[in-house]
Amino acid sequence: MDKRQENLLKDIVETYVKTVKPVGSKSLCQKFNCSSATIRNEMAILENLGYIEKNHISSGRIPSEKGYRYYVENLMEPEKLTGSEMLKLQRVVKNQDLVLSDAISKCMEIISDLTNYASIVLGQNSEDNLLKQVSIIPIDEDKVVALVCTNKGVVENKKFSLGNTNLKELIKTSEIINKMLIGTPIKDVSERLEFEIKPIIANEIQNYERVYNIFYNAFTDFVDDTNNVKVTGKAKVLEQPEYNDPESIKKLAYKLEDKSFIKKVTSSCGSDEIKVYIGSDSLVDDNTTVIKKTYDINGEKGTIAIIGPKRMDYAKVYGLIDYVLDEIKKK
């Protein structure tokens, strides 16, 4: 490709991203100050090279999967954020009350709102966390919340109905757990509950089986590998025109609800660079792109990702991801 052909491809990609309409030679003639014959000839070359393709309902051209890849790797420049976009993200980043994981999640929610794509935060596995505290919080006459906190600031909660369980017995058990299990790796807590805590409460608490099960279920849910996957904006991405028929909506919605699948798609790529998986490389479907980047900030590791149509605003997504991680590193 020569320089003019690269510029043509860049314009075709960016125009199609914004308008969702195939790009015709007439509009390109005006932008590049070339004759219609010249533009048609250059577009024919780009089509023969596989970078653009004809839309079956229009005489215009749209980028191919290969064209998007060339654009991302060679032509795209990350878009600078507007003042209002930076302000929205800075409010989160500068909030000292938010732990790192919550700040990242809040920022990704904002990115989902700004792009209308789905955003993903894949945190580190719970096995890297040590138990810091477990608390029982009553929320009404018959319901309590079991709150589990780790040394890395991760907080998970599970709601339970008291039934015939005495609240004082739950609180007493939580005190025993805090006394004996603080500093235990989360992945080992359930085993220690069974062999160390259960025999103690069996002698001190009347309805000990029910009490034991409440805490066991809370910790078991905590170490579930899918619990560290947070997906925002599923409805937004489904509104994109690429997914305008019931079958494609159903397929994508099912995949976005499957946290095991999302974890597989967005898992660490072994590099701190932004990685882009377009169409067939996305593992989602031929109309979808996944952009992801791993992070390691103050020892906390994870991956953030954006899932959207192949016709994604790559420059905007790149700019947002870079800005968020750069700012959070300063937190």
Side-chain angles (χ1 to χ4, degrees):
M1 244 191 290
D2 61 28
K3 192 65 178 176
R4 182 163 65 186
Q5 289 160 359
E6 284 190 332
N7 289 335
L8 275 171
L9 177 59
K10 185 174 186 290
D11 192 272
I12 290 170
V13 170
E14 293 177 352
T15 300
Y16 183 63
V17 163
K18 288 178 171 60
T19 66
V20 205
K21 295 179 180 178
V23 182
S25 59
K26 185 176 180 180
S27 62
L28 294 170
C29 290
Q30 297 169 348
K31 290 181 181 178
F32 290 90
N33 195 26
C34 295
S35 69
S36 178
T38 298
I39 293 297
R40 284 198 299 269
N41 182 59
E42 297 286 32
M43 290 178 76
I45 293 173
L46 288 173
E47 189 171 0
N48 288 334
L49 291 171
Y51 295 113
I52 60 175
E53 55 194 21
K54 185 172 172 45
N55 187 290
H56 65 282
I57 59 172
S58 167
S59 60
R61 301 295 188 276
I62 63 174
S64 66
E65 198 169 294
K66 181 180 178 181
Y68 282 120
R69 288 198 187 96
Y70 189 91
Y71 168 78
V72 170
E73 293 171 3
N74 301 284
L75 308 176
M76 182 203 68
E77 297 176 6
E79 186 177 300
K80 292 182 178 179
L81 276 64
T82 65
S84 62
E85 289 170 344
M86 285 190 285
L87 183 59
K88 287 178 181 178
L89 293 166
Q90 282 291 339
R91 285 194 187 116
V92 174
V93 173
K94 293 185 181 299
N95 187 341
Q96 297 301 316
D97 293 332
L98 292 175
V99 297
L100 182 63
S101 58
D102 288 340
I104 292 173
S105 294
K106 292 287 186 185
C107 284
M108 293 305 289
E109 289 174 12
I110 292 173
I111 289 178
S112 178
D113 287 337
L114 293 173
T115 60
N116 288 320
Y117 307 142
S119 69
I120 317 291
V121 179
L122 178 62
Q124 61 192 129
N125 290 332
S126 58
E127 63 184 20
D128 299 321
N129 288 258
L130 306 179
L131 178 63
K132 182 177 181 181
Q133 185 178 12
V134 58
S135 304
I136 293 295
I137 303 172
I139 55 176
D140 61 33
E141 291 183 358
D142 186 52
K143 291 185 175 61
V144 296
V145 169
L147 201 68
V148 180
C149 306
T150 78
N151 65 317
K152 294 185 179 292
V154 180
V155 179
E156 294 288 345
N157 61 80
K158 189 170 179 65
K159 187 187 295 185
F160 295 95
S161 295
L162 277 172
N164 60 350
T165 306
N166 188 296
L167 177 60
K168 291 181 179 179
E169 292 182 337
L170 282 175
I171 294 174
K172 183 176 182 179
T173 302
S174 70
E175 292 171 349
I176 294 171
I177 292 171
N178 286 329
K179 183 178 180 180
M180 297 183 62
L181 302 188
I182 296 303
T184 301
I186 289 293
K187 64 183 178 65
D188 297 332
V189 169
S190 295
E191 182 178 353
R192 292 192 64 185
L193 275 176
E194 173 71 28
F195 294 106
E196 297 177 37
I197 303 300
K198 191 174 182 179
I200 293 174
I201 64 173
N203 293 325
E204 299 185 20
I205 292 175
Q206 184 176 4
N207 193 15
Y208 77 93
E209 283 284 359
R210 166 70 177 161
V211 172
Y212 166 78
N213 286 333
I214 285 177
F215 287 99
Y216 182 85
N217 290 337
F219 284 109
T220 300
D221 285 353
F222 193 99
V223 298
D224 180 356
D225 278 346
T226 62
N227 275 356
N228 62 348
V229 181
K230 296 182 180 179
V231 185
T232 304
K234 289 176 281 191
K236 293 179 185 297
V237 73
L238 291 173
E239 292 173 358
Q240 295 292 331
E242 282 80 357
Y243 314 110
N244 60 1
D245 66 275
E247 189 60 29
S248 61
I249 291 173
K250 181 180 177 181
K251 286 181 179 179
L252 183 58
Y254 178 80
K255 289 177 179 177
L256 291 175
E257 289 292 338
D258 185 346
K259 287 190 174 182
S260 295
F261 175 78
I262 291 295
K263 183 174 182 180
K264 176 183 176 183
V265 168
T266 59
S267 59
S268 174
C269 49
S271 169
D272 60 0
E273 297 179 354
I274 294 179
K275 296 293 185 181
V276 184
Y277 302 88
I278 300 171
S280 58
D281 289 340
S282 72
L283 300 181
V284 182
D285 62 46
D286 289 344
N287 280 326
T288 302
T289 284
V290 176
I291 297 181
K292 62 185 180 181
K293 184 173 183 178
T294 59
Y295 62 85
D296 185 348
I297 303 173
N298 298 329
E300 187 162 332
K301 300 177 182 180
T303 304
I304 58 175
I306 295 292
I307 295 181
K310 190 165 58 176
R311 180 199 49 84
M312 182 182 281
D313 193 341
Y314 295 92
K316 186 175 188 67
V317 172
Y318 260 70
L320 286 165
I321 287 177
D322 272 340
Y323 181 81
V324 162
L325 290 184
D326 286 346
E327 290 300 309
I328 285 181
K329 285 177 182 176
K330 303 173 187 177
K331 184 175 170 68

